[in-house]
């Protein structure tokens, strides 16, 4: 069975400082991993996706994530936070077990950016 | 520009009313999903569909029902709304396996339901 754990419910940073949002996954297969962002009163939007082509994945708005199989992690980073990055971030795993690609969402991490 | 549309965006109704939340997508995706999300909380999968005439219940038990008569349309119905149904409902779809966009979810803007 697949599962995903987002290690922080809230992360608070100052504008211009690095962002780290942590995600650990569990899967019996080679998983696809995703990060989605949800801005207030908006729908969810894909930030980036990992599918084994490269362990470092670049996404939109300067975000990137590194897949580390040995650590079963897929942490999301950004070198310099912007006020517009304040949002809810969801880590998602989908491993296709039994032919099902139903994704499993983490609980979400709220990113707070201070001026 | 959204390729998946949800209506209504906001709905306030009284207890006992029947409501249908509409979801349509123009991408030809086979898989569609309904998630329930309380403010600031995680997403809970309540229904999904692999294609026409296919519907399955998700992880979270729900009193709602869904239908999939056409590929592009996946409405969610509550026969008798209660205050406990107050929540945001998010519809999503995803394309076939393989390729860059395999299993990527495209979300609608959501329907925020308040039951008085």
């Amino acid at each position: 069975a697949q599962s995903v754990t987002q290690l922080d419910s809230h992360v608070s940073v100052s504008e211009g400082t690095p962002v780290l949002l942590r995600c650990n996954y569990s899967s019996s297969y080679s998983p696809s991993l995703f990060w989605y962002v949800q801005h207030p009163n908006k729908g969810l939007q894909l930030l980036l996706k990992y599918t084994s082509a490269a362990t470092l994945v670049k996404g939109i708005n300067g975000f990137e994530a590194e897949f580390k199989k040995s650590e079963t992690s897929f942490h999301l980073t950004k070198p310099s936070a912007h006020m517009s990055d304040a949002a809810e971030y969801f880590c998602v795993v989908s491993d296709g077990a039994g032919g099902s690609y139903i994704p499993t969402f983490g609980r979400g991490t709220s990113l707070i950016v201070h001026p | 520009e959204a390729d998946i549309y949800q209506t209504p965006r906001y709905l306030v109704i009284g207890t006992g009313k029947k409501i249908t939340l509409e979801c349509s997508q123009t991408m030809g995706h086979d898989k569609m999903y309904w998630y329930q999300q309380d403010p600031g909380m995680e997403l809970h999968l309540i229904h999904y569909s692999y294609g026409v005439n296919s519907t399955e219940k998700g992880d979270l038990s729900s009193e709602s029902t869904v239908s999939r008569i056409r590929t592009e349309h996946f409405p969610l119905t509550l026969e008798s709304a209660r205050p406990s149904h107050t929540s945001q409902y998010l519809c999503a779809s995803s394309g076939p396996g393989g390729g860059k966009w395999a299993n990527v979810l495209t979300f609608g803007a959501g329907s925020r339901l308040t039951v008085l």
Side-chain angles (χ1 to χ4, degrees):
Chain A
Q2 63 188 20
S3 67
V4 62
T5 302
Q6 291 185 243
L7 298 167
D8 307 291
S9 59
H10 297 85
V11 170
S12 182
V13 300
S14 297
E15 190 174 23
T17 64
V19 175
L20 170 64
L21 305 183
R22 299 182 295 165
C23 173
N24 286 111
Y25 71 92
S26 174
S27 173
S28 302
Y29 297 82
S30 297
S32 292
L33 294 158
F34 310 80
W35 276 98
Y36 288 85
V37 60
Q38 185 180 32
H39 287 94
N41 300 314
K42 296 280 183 67
L44 279 83
Q45 179 185 17
L46 178 72
L47 267 182
L48 50 81
K49 171 188 176 184
Y50 165 78
T51 52
S52 78
T55 56
L56 184 63
V57 183
K58 293 188 183 300
I60 63 172
N61 301 334
F63 283 94
E64 62 182 36
E66 186 172 8
F67 173 73
K68 292 187 176 181
K69 187 175 181 179
S70 60
E71 299 176 9
T72 61
S73 69
F74 190 57
H75 301 335
L76 182 71
T77 60
K78 183 174 181 178
S80 176
H82 192 273
M83 294 296 291
S84 61
D85 294 328
E88 192 79 15
Y89 292 79
F90 293 93
C91 184
V92 180
V93 63
S94 175
D95 66 11
S100 169
Y101 288 89
I102 302 302
T104 297
F105 277 75
R107 289 177 170 266
T109 298
S110 180
L111 177 63
I112 301 160
V113 183
H114 299 286
Chain B
E1 187 173 336
D3 295 308
I4 184 164
Y5 305 94
Q6 290 187 242
T7 57
R9 286 292 312 278
Y10 302 93
L11 180 63
V12 180
I13 60 169
T15 296
K17 299 291 186 184
K18 177 181 179 179
I19 64 127
T20 296
L21 304 180
E22 302 287 351
C23 177
S24 295
Q25 50 98 1
T26 59
M27 298 167 284
H29 286 169
D30 287 330
K31 294 188 280 289
M32 295 189 73
Y33 313 81
W34 277 104
Y35 290 88
Q36 185 174 342
Q37 183 187 32
D38 292 326
M41 303 295 284
E42 63 198 286
L43 277 73
H44 294 284
L45 180 66
I46 51 174
H47 298 282
Y48 62 97
S49 166
Y50 285 121
V52 172
N53 295 324
S54 154
T55 61
E56 303 286 345
K57 289 188 179 295
D59 303 325
L60 181 69
S61 175
S62 174
E63 294 167 344
S64 59
T65 59
V66 292
S67 63
R68 190 88 184 276
I69 299 172
R70 303 196 317 263
T71 297
E72 62 270 22
H73 196 213
F74 192 42
L76 180 146
T77 298
L78 277 165
E79 290 292 335
S80 180
R82 296 206 304 268
S84 61
H85 296 138
T86 294
S87 189
Q88 176 165 244
Y89 295 84
L90 295 168
C91 183
S93 69
S94 64
K100 178 181 178 181
W101 299 107
N103 302 311
V104 172
L105 294 170
T106 300
F107 281 88
S111 293
R112 191 173 295 278
L113 173 66
T114 302
V115 184
L116 303 176

